[in-house]
Amino acid sequence: MIRQDAHRIDPKRRTIIDPKKRQFAAPIYKQQDYPFRLNLYDTPPTAEITLEQFEQWAIDRLKILAEIEACSYRNKSPAETASHITPLLQKFLPLSSNTSSATGAADLRLKNERQKDHYSHFILRLAFSATEDLRRRFARAETMLFRFRFQNDDSRERRAFVESLSLDWEPVSDEERHEVNESLASSTPGLRRVDEETWYKVDWEKVPELIERRNVFLKKGKAYVPGREQLSMIMAEFTARLERSLELTSRALPRLDEDDRLTPILNHLSKNFGSADSVYTEGEGHVDGTAITASSIDSLSQHFPLCMRNLHTNLRKDNHLKHFGRLQYTLFLKGIGLSLEECILFWRQSFKGKTDDEFNSQYKYNIRHSYGDVGGDVNRRGRGYPPYSCQKILQDNNVGVGQAHGCPYRHHSVDNLVGLLQSTGVHDKEVLRGVREDVGKQRFHIACNRVFEWSHKSEIKKVKEDGTWTQADLDTIVHPNTYFKRSYLLKQLAKAPSRDT
Ligand code: SF4
């Protein structure tokens, strides 16, 4: 599936293949046609793609799944979730219906979209099959995505897709329906007349949603399902197939270790479910046209996320920060666009109790190192290290007492966290209750996004109303530098007169 010229391959690794593993080593090439927009992902892809496509397509899909999961964590209604992910899907994973294709060029676009959808699903299947928790989360997010697409599909295409599946649904004959007429009427809520529906018999395990709601007649292990509950049946089918496939994939995973091109990419993807730092690119946190200087940091700190605000407050209180705090904060400041010279000036002015000699000998080198001005990996010379993502900060298990780095949502006790939030002006009881709940469920970055949305709610409302930003500009924040930039821009836009005034 990966084009051979796309990356270095260790020839020794490729030639030594256990004959027992041959079914994994030599896939039979099969061209995919994609007659439908929807896909149950039964057939793995075998055509060639480049390593870059492999990674980028997976990242794009991951972005969508992470947003779907974030919506569910934030208890968004189906309508709110739909309005949130529609523009994101359009941007990262568009999937048009057949009726949108009228020309040859459109046909090619359709095929490319469907190929990307197909491949990205299977790549993430590999990435998320390793543990039970990842499999469960992946299956849940994928099912929600499939449900969304199914509901929004063109009705004729949807019918053709369902018919193509040859599902194991046995139509109920008129005679049998007549026999169980009363039972159907009493067990199926919202029914006007039994004979107005087309009925199917399916294994009861295939419709757990209906069984749970007690909305279906059961007899001899079969559920009698009206045609209008097709969505439930399809969803159950989709989830069951996916869960089964994920199990099988997890058993085949160790064989992938033979491929040193894919394993690092897959590991990186699986670590980033929910707070994917792979979507952040260096320089993204810069605000164009705004001079960021040592003297502007105090006023800009109102836009910092809690992790960086906490570092700034501690720095001002103690005129000092410990090593890891300095490192986390320096990289963040670099990420917002503070130059090396201004950064050195910032730290020099902040460490009030130190002499010039002490500052130069103990601290200056590390600041220059973070910017890539000295030392470090040759590849990073001149660039230094990228600012830390939420994922990286959250995964730090070495934040001890008396240290200010890390993420307060994860590394503070809940009471200290609430106290810290209140000190920054977050007093809303509902928000603080939500934060406690998020933190209790270890959804730290969701708590951070909750606070962001609350503290910028009037600005968000304004930019949405005047059309300056769409929901796609307001996806879940997974990087402190994105938090800063979005906060800063929102406050600037809110000051500007509305477009229609
Ligand atoms: Fe900082 Fe991310 Fe934690 Fe928010 S979730 S406080 S941005 S590390």
Side-chain angles (χ1 to χ4, degrees):
M1 168 169 151
I2 307 293
R3 198 141 67 217
Q4 301 296 313
D5 59 2
H7 205 268
R8 164 183 61 88
I9 301 163
D10 180 346
K12 286 189 212 120
R13 286 179 181 242
R14 291 192 55 78
T15 49
I16 306 168
I17 293 174
D18 184 334
K20 279 185 249 155
K21 300 174 185 170
R22 215 162 257 296
Q23 72 269 35
F24 293 96
I28 298 158
Y29 177 81
K30 184 169 179 251
Q31 184 64 44
Q32 298 275 326
D33 291 336
Y34 307 117
F36 304 106
R37 172 177 176 267
L38 296 167
N39 194 337
L40 282 195
Y41 309 107
D42 281 333
T43 314
T46 50
E48 291 181 354
I49 57 171
T50 65
L51 203 59
E52 287 72 25
Q53 286 171 320
F54 183 92
E55 186 165 21
Q56 190 56 52
W57 291 358
I59 288 171
D60 286 351
R61 190 180 197 93
L62 184 56
K63 178 101 184 121
I64 298 294
L65 298 187
E67 288 298 330
I68 288 176
E69 188 176 64
C71 285
S72 119
Y73 286 169
R74 282 191 259 169
N75 291 328
K76 289 202 187 269
S77 67
E80 286 170 330
T81 304
S83 83
H84 184 75
I85 67 162
T86 301
L88 295 171
L89 274 171
Q90 210 43 44
K91 186 170 167 188
F92 294 104
L93 208 59
L95 200 58
S96 313
S97 59
N98 291 344
T99 43
S100 72
S101 162
T103 64
D107 273 348
L108 183 63
R109 177 175 55 83
L110 222 64
K111 180 172 181 294
N112 290 341
E113 286 178 0
R114 290 173 188 188
Q115 187 189 31
K116 178 177 175 182
D117 177 64
H118 182 210
Y119 279 59
S120 61
H121 170 90
F122 272 92
I123 298 164
L124 291 191
R125 203 187 262 195
L126 281 177
F128 295 115
S129 60
T131 68
E132 201 186 323
D133 178 53
L134 284 175
R135 288 197 290 273
R136 186 180 45 72
R137 289 172 62 194
F138 178 69
R140 189 158 177 264
E142 278 286 338
T143 304
M144 287 168 79
L145 174 60
F146 182 81
R147 176 193 289 269
F148 177 75
R149 285 171 163 171
F150 188 86
Q151 287 172 317
N152 288 286
D153 204 12
D154 172 286
S155 60
R156 227 164 351 130
E157 283 185 42
R158 183 169 54 201
R159 196 170 336 117
F161 169 72
V162 173
E163 281 166 13
S164 76
L165 298 177
S166 324
L167 294 169
D168 189 15
W169 302 347
E170 189 186 333
V172 178
S173 65
D174 287 348
E175 298 81 68
E176 187 176 0
R177 193 191 65 217
H178 195 66
E179 270 172 35
V180 292
N181 192 51
E182 274 180 30
S183 305
L184 291 178
S186 60
S187 322
T188 319
L191 195 67
R192 283 199 311 166
R193 288 181 49 171
V194 171
D195 57 6
E196 276 180 359
E197 284 282 357
T198 312
W199 295 85
Y200 298 95
K201 280 194 285 189
V202 294
D203 286 341
W204 68 272
E205 300 107 315
K206 292 198 168 176
V207 283
E209 276 185 35
L210 296 179
I211 302 284
E212 200 179 303
R213 298 201 314 253
R214 295 173 188 270
N215 280 0
V216 70
F217 171 57
L218 285 174
K219 187 180 165 193
K220 293 184 183 168
K222 296 282 182 189
Y224 286 62
V225 185
R228 67 187 153 92
E229 294 287 1
Q230 191 187 53
L231 177 63
S232 270
M233 294 192 282
I234 294 278
M235 283 312 117
E237 188 69 34
F238 180 86
T239 313
R241 289 189 192 197
L242 181 53
E243 284 173 349
R244 220 166 31 236
S245 308
L246 283 166
E247 277 285 335
L248 290 174
T249 312
S250 74
R251 282 185 232 155
L253 263 191
R255 298 171 191 196
L256 258 188
D257 285 350
E258 289 180 10
D259 197 324
D260 59 3
R261 301 162 302 161
L262 305 189
T263 311
I265 298 178
L266 295 174
N267 287 341
H268 185 65
L269 289 168
S270 66
K271 281 196 191 121
N272 286 320
F273 199 177
S275 50
D277 61 1
S278 43
V279 295
Y280 182 85
T281 46
E282 267 179 86
E284 198 177 301
H286 291 205
V287 184
D288 294 338
T290 305
I292 309 276
T293 61
S295 58
S296 58
I297 300 299
D298 278 332
S299 74
L300 290 175
S301 66
Q302 61 177 301
H303 301 293
F304 291 179
L306 202 59
C307 49
M308 303 304 166
R309 222 162 152 168
N310 185 41
L311 285 166
H312 191 77
T313 311
N314 274 279
L315 177 61
R316 287 291 174 254
K317 177 164 65 74
D318 302 335
N319 299 319
H320 187 263
L321 277 182
K322 291 186 178 169
H323 174 74
F324 289 112
R326 291 199 303 276
L327 185 58
Q328 180 175 317
Y329 199 29
T330 299
L331 293 174
F332 170 78
L333 294 175
K334 183 176 80 157
I336 71 173
L338 190 70
S339 68
L340 173 59
E341 293 68 33
E342 286 293 320
C343 192
I344 291 173
L345 181 62
F346 168 77
W347 284 109
R348 179 66 202 99
Q349 290 172 340
S350 300
F351 280 19
K352 291 196 170 63
K354 304 286 175 191
T355 64
D356 281 347
D357 281 349
E358 282 171 334
F359 179 79
N360 289 338
S361 63
Q362 292 173 33
Y363 305 109
K364 196 169 166 185
Y365 182 88
N366 282 343
I367 302 167
R368 292 178 61 204
H369 189 267
S370 298
Y371 275 73
D373 194 43
V374 288
D377 166 358
V378 175
N379 296 328
R380 296 224 153 259
R381 194 67 52 75
R383 287 188 296 135
Y385 294 91
Y388 290 168
S389 64
C390 294
Q391 183 77 20
K392 179 158 176 60
I393 296 172
L394 284 164
Q395 279 174 351
D396 190 337
N397 290 323
N398 297 309
V399 182
V401 179
Q403 289 180 308
H405 68 286
C407 169
Y409 293 98
R410 185 197 154 191
H411 296 110
H412 279 33
S413 69
V414 178
D415 289 342
N416 286 350
L417 168 66
V418 168
L420 184 61
L421 282 170
Q422 286 170 333
S423 74
T424 63
V426 183
H427 294 287
D428 187 278
K429 284 202 181 91
E430 195 46 35
V431 173
L432 294 175
R433 193 197 57 73
V435 166
R436 283 179 186 275
E437 191 181 317
D438 293 333
V439 169
K441 292 180 177 162
Q442 307 214 334
R443 297 167 185 167
F444 308 112
H445 75 292
I446 298 291
C448 183
N449 277 271
R450 184 187 292 281
V451 169
F452 182 92
E453 280 180 11
W454 176 80
S455 49
H456 297 81
K457 60 178 177 302
S458 56
E459 293 84 5
I460 290 173
K461 185 164 176 275
K462 179 172 184 291
V463 294
K464 276 186 174 174
E465 277 174 3
D466 67 16
T468 324
W469 283 15
T470 66
Q471 193 60 42
D473 300 307
L474 293 160
D475 52 356
T476 306
I477 296 169
V478 292
H479 201 292
N481 288 80
T482 311
Y483 189 111
F484 164 76
K485 185 172 179 179
R486 194 174 296 175
S487 170
Y488 182 85
L489 290 177
L490 279 172
K491 298 281 179 190
Q492 301 309 308
L493 287 168
K495 281 187 211 154
S498 289
R499 278 180 175 181
D500 53 359
T501 55

